[in-house]
Amino acid sequence: MMSRSYTNLFELASGEAPLPSSGFGRHMGKKLSRVATVPGVLSELDDEGFSSDAPSSVSQDRMILVGNQLPLRVHKTHSGSWTFSWDEDSLLLQLKDGLNEDVEIIYIGCLREEIDPKDQDDVAQHLLENFKCVPAFIPPELFSKFYHGFCKQHLWPLFHYMLPLSPDLGGRFDRSLWQAYVSVNKIFADKVMEVISPDDDFVWVHDYHLMVLPTFLRKRFNRVKLGFFLHSPFPSSEIYRTLPVRDELLRALLNSDLIGFHTFDYARHFLSCCSRMLGLSYQSKRGYIGLEYYGRTVSIKILPVGIHLKQLRNVLDLPETESKVAELRDRFHGRTVLLGVDDMDIFKGISLKLLAFENLLTHHPEKRGKVVLVQIANPARGRGRDVLEVQSETHTTRERINRKFGRPGYEPVILIDIPLQFYERIAYYVISECCLVTAVRDGMNLIPYEYIISRQGNDKLDETLGANPSIPKKSMLVVSEFIGCSPSLSGAIRVNPWNIDAVAEAMDMALIIAEPEKQMRHEKHYRYVSTHDVAYWARSFWQDLERSCRDHVRRRCWGIGFGLGFRVVALDPNFRKLSVEHIVSAYKRTKKRAILLDYDGTITVQNSISTNPSPEVSGMLNSLCKDPKNIVFIVSGKDRATLTEWFSSCDNLGVAAEHGYFLRENKEAEWETCIAVPDFYWKQIADPVMKLYTETTDGSTIEMKESGLVWNYQYADPDFGSCQAKELLDHLESVLANEPVTVKSGQNIVEVKPQGINKGLVVDRLLTTMKEKGMLPDFVLCIGDDRSDEDMFEAITRAVAGPALSPVAEIFACTVGRKPSKARYFLEDTTEILRMLQGLAAASENCMLKNVTKGFQKVVME
């Protein structure tokens, strides 16, 4: 439930009592965002384009950890008052060990118990002052729709590869549950806004419950330093794309600066979804994976979480653990224990494990009476008919196995479905020869890690078990290949849990494998688990989050889009709109000018029906070309025959075709090639591949150029065309891997061309030619609108420090539209580009008219 009566926690905490010395006081006197205080009424956020607060002078780092639940245990006394204590099992609490001691931590989340509205203010104040916790009070009905509805009925099954093929399997998509999910995320956002200092604090959001929270935070604070970690699997694109709100969730996650996953597979699936559904591509540089998203680099982190070593070792040292180990040692004396520890839900594969054990006893009768499977079944986190079905099937299977193979004094399967104390579970780890984790799908699963540390034990437990401390410890693991921890446990026996025969064989192998082999595998696992604990994981994520946010301060940010489609465009601070008056003034005072213009999307509208230049464009180009101070080039991806026809009326216009492969200085000059290409045999490889995709993609065409091949899907279905383009790109890169060509994607195209061909060649060639003629340019104008034009901007940037330009040259590299670019300037659209060029043409005409007038006057005077 939401708090009723206060606008922010600082007003509450500073009531009559002095503000605690926890660091909150640094916000006093600052303007804090207003938030909703009435259940069901959500505030609107400001839509200011820039971060609202001035940088703080406080140097201490602060981390705001946001999760579905606060790391607290809640108990109501007989008198009706509430007591709170830290939940030592909570990951949010454990990860603080990986942060620097001087990092202040604020926790935001829900409480496990419903707090009466009249008590919420007092509880919030108490938690803030004593635990640095900010509770999000969610109305019960809203929370039920959010958690038991959208999270557990839609996201959780889908992320575990369960499609709602019928109403019984998770249920159909319910828009009201989605709206509840968004509303709860909005409440969490309001809570973050109450305490955040946006220019100083880091925010770390956890798990699928809060996937749209990054959008609300980024909308309010464009430069917020924000990380997100997904603790569940991320499904393949074929599964994820069935979600009706797929784009909204992807775009929300991309409003983070760093997104973390347990395994490469989960990250790969996320990147594939971004590529197929949003058309985004990723790059890997120096070991870091990043997605370019409107000028922001969204980093991808791949690192499985670890266990809390200190806590587990403390439990191993408890007298209660030692006593329980002694009890279990006597109980299972003379028998080998196989152990399973799982939640009672449909994805943990408990029934499959029992069937595999039944198979083991059937085919290996010598193990009857000697091997016991202890299955600890923790209470399910969800609820519903599927949980009841799992419980029923598990009990039925256990009873059948025990009737079939049991005898007096021997119970093959021991099912423990009551909650155990942590030390009791640890004791079972200690006495078990092998741990079986055979979930059909699980995000991470730390059970194998706990088992390995428990098997390492300590001196007291060695004495209790009668083990020789000098003998190396041993352990065996049988793990499903579908759980997140599987890749990190290279010594485990990996199985497909659906293959019951294979799991049974793995159980047998784990039992009969040689002792030195068990010791070696245990040592390998122990070395990894003991060095990659939860502190290591948190420290690594924190460091990468700092790195990802390092250049926030120097970026200029604009917020665009509405609702959950909101995103931030981040641009270089020197990037600004080109002033027509400024460039015309520079144009008038310079003597040797180089002008390079892209065609499609720059001086003509992209994808327009009529692609040939209008009379106005041709006239404007002729005016510029007639000025003897100018050298003007059209630089296009079109073929030279088309460009020759289009610009036949422009005698002095230089033309570069096919992205600079062909070049002609004027109408009378011969076409030249900027780079030597000995052979185009690779076309015979690329052409059949392109034809295959053309046949299967309605509306796509192949453009045959002299220097390359272009697959165009401008008139295809946008989603399918983009998807096919990505597949074609991968296919061509594969078959042409050893050929001297470049495969690139552009706006509605995939192009194959010889290596080294790009528009930057035209810039280099033009500046070199002008230098050889003794004409060092003192004015350079270059305009383009897409990725291919970035090569021209880059070439001009390189030339600034070289001898090809005048030391006082005026440089104007300009892109079309406000977007990330290597250009320094932008103009909004083609109309503004033509208006600016008309201004330059008019300046040339006026100058030439003045020169003619002066010449005529001189002749008259003579």
Side-chain angles (χ1 to χ4, degrees):
M1 285 175 284
M2 296 178 62
S3 179
R4 303 172 293 111
S5 60
Y6 59 94
T7 56
N8 65 69
L9 288 175
F10 301 115
E11 293 174 2
L12 174 66
S14 60
E16 296 179 359
L19 196 69
S21 59
S22 59
F24 282 80
R26 72 182 185 181
H27 293 277
M28 294 303 294
K30 290 177 61 175
K31 177 186 175 184
L32 293 167
S33 57
R34 294 184 59 82
V35 299
T37 58
V38 180
V41 180
L42 302 178
S43 65
E44 292 296 325
L45 304 181
D46 288 350
D47 286 333
E48 296 172 1
F50 297 90
S51 296
S52 59
D53 296 311
S56 169
S57 61
V58 180
S59 60
Q60 181 187 22
D61 286 325
R62 192 169 76 163
M63 175 72 84
I64 299 175
L65 296 176
V66 191
N68 179 46
Q69 290 187 338
L70 287 170
L72 296 173
R73 298 187 187 276
V74 185
H75 178 69
K76 192 171 187 178
T77 64
H78 295 296
S79 62
S81 61
W82 294 99
T83 61
F84 303 89
S85 60
W86 289 116
D87 180 2
E88 300 293 338
D89 296 332
S90 171
L91 177 66
L92 260 63
L93 184 65
Q94 294 174 354
L95 65 80
K96 66 180 174 56
D97 290 358
L99 308 181
N100 296 334
E101 291 183 0
D102 60 343
V103 175
E104 183 185 353
I105 299 177
I106 309 297
Y107 300 96
I108 296 178
C110 297
L111 291 169
R112 289 183 171 87
E113 299 291 339
E114 183 183 345
I115 308 295
D116 192 285
K118 63 183 176 59
D119 297 328
Q120 288 177 9
D121 288 355
D122 293 336
V123 167
Q125 182 175 1
H126 175 76
L127 294 182
L128 176 63
E129 292 177 348
N130 295 280
F131 295 92
K132 295 183 182 177
C133 287
V134 180
F137 297 113
I138 314 295
E141 183 179 353
L142 180 62
F143 183 83
S144 180
K145 287 184 176 181
F146 156 71
Y147 184 76
H148 298 294
F150 193 77
C151 290
K152 288 301 181 181
Q153 288 184 28
H154 292 317
L155 288 183
W156 179 256
L158 186 81
F159 280 18
H160 289 75
Y161 288 74
M162 183 177 175
L163 292 175
L165 300 176
S166 71
D168 295 336
L169 297 174
R172 306 299 190 198
F173 181 80
D174 187 336
R175 181 67 58 175
S176 68
L177 300 183
W178 163 246
Q179 291 169 347
Y181 181 84
V182 173
S183 296
V184 170
N185 275 251
K186 178 66 167 56
I187 293 172
F188 271 81
D190 289 338
K191 292 301 175 185
V192 174
M193 292 173 203
E194 290 177 7
V195 297
I196 190 173
S197 174
D199 294 298
D200 301 322
D201 298 344
F202 291 84
V203 181
W204 187 356
V205 181
H206 289 265
D207 222 3
Y208 65 96
H209 313 91
L210 302 171
M211 290 177 71
V212 300
L213 177 57
T215 289
F216 291 120
L217 297 180
R218 185 71 62 189
K219 186 175 184 180
R220 183 63 181 88
F221 304 113
N222 291 169
R223 294 190 184 89
V224 64
K225 294 178 277 192
L226 177 60
F228 181 94
F229 199 95
L230 183 67
H231 294 275
S232 76
F234 195 94
S236 65
S237 59
E238 288 78 8
I239 299 293
Y240 180 79
R241 70 197 310 168
T242 64
L243 188 64
V245 290
R246 61 190 191 184
D247 287 1
E248 289 89 333
L249 289 180
L250 287 180
R251 292 193 183 279
L253 289 179
L254 290 171
N255 277 318
S256 306
D257 295 298
L258 177 66
I259 306 174
F261 299 93
H262 285 307
T263 72
F264 173 71
D265 279 346
Y266 302 162
R268 177 170 57 86
H269 293 158
F270 173 76
L271 294 170
S272 175
C273 288
C274 290
S275 172
R276 289 174 176 271
M277 293 161 214
L278 303 181
L280 302 176
S281 58
Y282 69 91
Q283 291 182 328
S284 181
K285 293 182 179 179
R286 297 183 179 178
Y288 295 107
I289 300 174
L291 277 163
E292 288 298 321
Y293 189 60
Y294 291 91
R296 295 173 47 249
T297 299
V298 181
S299 299
I300 304 298
K301 175 76 173 176
I302 303 169
L303 185 66
V305 69
I307 60 175
H308 195 272
L309 277 175
K310 182 179 179 181
Q311 180 198 23
L312 203 154
R313 284 172 173 158
N314 287 341
V315 174
L316 284 170
D317 290 335
L318 291 176
E320 294 92 333
T321 305
E322 186 179 349
S323 299
K324 187 66 178 179
V325 169
E327 175 194 328
L328 296 176
R329 175 202 63 196
D330 296 338
R331 179 181 176 184
F332 295 108
H333 179 69
R335 293 197 172 111
T336 302
V337 177
L338 303 179
L339 179 66
V341 181
D342 306 277
D343 291 345
M344 185 69 83
D345 69 44
I346 58 176
F347 299 112
K348 295 303 187 286
I350 296 177
S351 296
L352 294 174
K353 186 189 305 179
L354 297 181
L355 292 174
F357 185 65
E358 181 181 25
N359 184 300
L360 175 71
L361 296 181
T362 300
H363 292 90
H364 298 274
E366 73 280 2
K367 289 185 169 54
R368 299 171 191 172
K370 298 179 180 178
V371 179
V372 176
L373 172 61
V374 176
Q375 176 62 54
I376 299 174
N378 302 317
R381 300 180 189 179
R383 63 188 184 188
R385 192 169 68 181
D386 56 345
V387 174
L388 297 176
E389 289 176 352
V390 170
Q391 291 174 337
S392 175
E393 184 182 4
T394 300
H395 283 279
T396 301
T397 307
R398 180 205 63 170
E399 291 169 1
R400 187 186 71 247
I401 296 173
N402 287 344
R403 282 197 309 268
K404 185 175 180 181
F405 299 106
R407 59 182 186 230
Y410 173 60
E411 188 179 7
V413 177
I414 299 173
L415 179 63
I416 303 172
D417 57 357
I418 59 174
L420 294 180
Q421 296 290 331
F422 190 33
Y423 78 87
E424 295 178 294
R425 193 170 86 210
I426 295 298
Y428 276 101
Y429 289 146
V430 172
I431 59 95
S432 298
E433 185 72 13
C434 177
C435 186
L436 311 171
V437 184
T438 55
V440 296
R441 188 71 60 179
D442 207 350
M444 182 58 195
N445 202 311
L446 295 175
I447 298 300
Y449 289 11
E450 293 178 351
Y451 170 71
I452 290 162
I453 299 299
S454 299
R455 289 288 287 180
Q456 185 68 17
N458 55 38
D459 292 340
K460 288 183 179 180
L461 293 177
D462 287 343
E463 185 178 342
T464 302
L465 294 171
N468 186 345
S470 63
I471 297 177
K473 301 297 191 295
K474 62 179 181 178
S475 64
M476 284 301 298
L477 283 168
V478 175
V479 300
S480 165
E481 61 191 52
F482 301 120
I483 63 176
C485 65
S486 176
S488 63
L489 299 171
S490 56
I493 302 174
R494 295 194 183 97
V495 294
N496 174 1
W498 300 100
N499 189 338
I500 293 172
D501 293 336
V503 176
E505 291 176 8
M507 291 179 181
D508 183 49
M509 180 186 296
L511 295 173
I512 64 175
I513 200 167
E515 294 294 302
E517 178 74 11
K518 292 180 181 179
Q519 294 166 356
M520 183 188 71
R521 294 183 185 223
H522 172 81
E523 174 60 26
K524 186 175 188 179
H525 290 157
Y526 179 74
R527 201 162 49 240
Y528 175 83
V529 175
S530 60
T531 55
H532 291 73
D533 61 349
V534 67
Y536 174 88
W537 170 77
R539 189 182 312 114
S540 181
F541 191 91
W542 164 264
Q543 290 170 349
D544 277 10
L545 182 58
E546 284 186 314
R547 176 187 55 80
S548 301
C549 303
R550 197 169 293 154
D551 65 345
H552 273 22
V553 177
R554 71 177 195 85
R555 307 293 281 181
R556 297 174 66 197
C557 299
W558 283 271
I560 62 173
F562 297 98
L564 295 178
F566 177 85
R567 60 265 189 206
V568 166
V569 178
L571 303 173
D572 189 277
N574 295 321
F575 187 72
R576 60 181 183 270
K577 189 167 184 176
L578 180 58
S579 165
V580 176
E581 293 76 13
H582 175 47
I583 191 172
V584 169
S585 173
Y587 184 84
K588 289 178 178 178
R589 64 176 178 265
T590 50
K591 308 296 183 183
K592 299 164 186 175
R593 313 184 189 108
I595 301 174
L596 301 105
L597 306 173
D598 173 50
Y599 183 73
D600 281 323
T602 300
I603 59 175
T604 186
V605 178
Q606 183 81 29
N607 300 332
S608 60
I609 297 175
S610 177
T611 54
N612 56 312
S614 65
E616 292 78 12
V617 169
S618 296
M620 176 264 297
L621 291 174
N622 269 324
S623 296
L624 290 173
C625 292
K626 286 177 182 177
D627 190 330
K629 300 176 183 178
N630 294 344
I631 296 181
V632 184
F633 261 85
I634 289 290
V635 187
S636 173
K638 300 288 186 184
D639 61 88
R640 55 179 173 170
T642 300
L643 295 176
T644 297
E645 177 185 350
W646 282 355
F647 297 105
S648 58
S649 62
C650 303
D651 295 340
N652 296 323
L653 178 67
V655 179
E658 301 189 13
H659 295 300
Y661 179 68
F662 292 111
L663 185 142
R664 187 186 70 181
E665 293 186 4
N666 53 61
K667 184 178 179 180
E668 302 302 324
E670 295 293 328
W671 285 98
E672 305 175 28
T673 57
C674 288
I675 188 172
V677 178
D679 198 353
F680 292 93
Y681 64 89
W682 49 265
K683 287 186 179 182
Q684 300 173 15
I685 303 173
D687 185 51
V689 176
M690 285 191 173
K691 284 180 178 177
L692 175 65
Y693 284 82
T694 303
E695 291 170 1
T696 57
T697 311
D698 188 35
S700 64
T701 58
I702 299 176
E703 183 181 352
M704 305 288 292
K705 295 183 178 180
E706 293 179 68
S707 65
L709 298 173
V710 179
W711 187 73
N712 190 308
Y713 59 98
Q714 175 184 344
Y715 300 110
D717 175 81
D719 289 337
F720 184 59
S722 176
C723 176
Q724 289 287 82
K726 187 64 179 174
E727 294 291 336
L728 175 59
L729 186 72
D730 293 341
H731 196 159
L732 290 172
E733 286 179 341
S734 175
V735 299
L736 298 173
N738 298 320
E739 306 300 333
V741 297
T742 299
V743 184
K744 285 189 174 182
S745 62
Q747 189 165 2
N748 295 326
I749 66 164
V750 175
E751 183 173 20
V752 185
K753 59 185 179 181
Q755 290 177 350
I757 293 180
N758 61 71
K759 291 185 178 182
L761 290 174
V762 182
V763 175
D764 295 336
R765 177 74 172 267
L766 174 59
L767 297 182
T768 301
T769 301
M770 293 182 72
K771 178 188 175 186
E772 291 173 351
K773 294 180 179 180
M775 300 171 55
L776 284 182
D778 53 6
F779 177 96
V780 178
L781 171 62
C782 179
I783 311 177
D785 75 307
D786 63 18
R787 292 182 190 173
S788 64
D789 302 307
E790 296 295 315
D791 294 319
M792 288 198 291
F793 303 147
E794 188 174 5
I796 290 173
T797 302
R798 289 197 308 266
V800 169
L805 293 174
S806 168
V808 294
E810 301 269 9
I811 308 297
F812 298 94
C814 179
T815 190
V816 182
R818 301 189 190 197
K819 59 177 181 288
S821 173
K822 295 173 183 174
R824 186 176 178 182
Y825 299 96
F826 72 90
L827 288 171
E828 295 289 358
D829 51 30
T830 299
T831 302
E832 289 195 356
I833 297 287
L834 294 178
R835 187 182 300 125
M836 182 270 292
L837 292 175
Q838 291 287 6
L840 300 185
S844 284
E845 291 172 354
N846 291 337
C847 181
M848 288 187 288
L849 181 60
K850 288 180 182 178
N851 290 339
V852 170
T853 303
K854 287 180 181 179
F856 178 75
Q857 291 174 345
K858 184 177 180 181
V859 170
V860 171
M861 291 178 65
E862 290 176 353

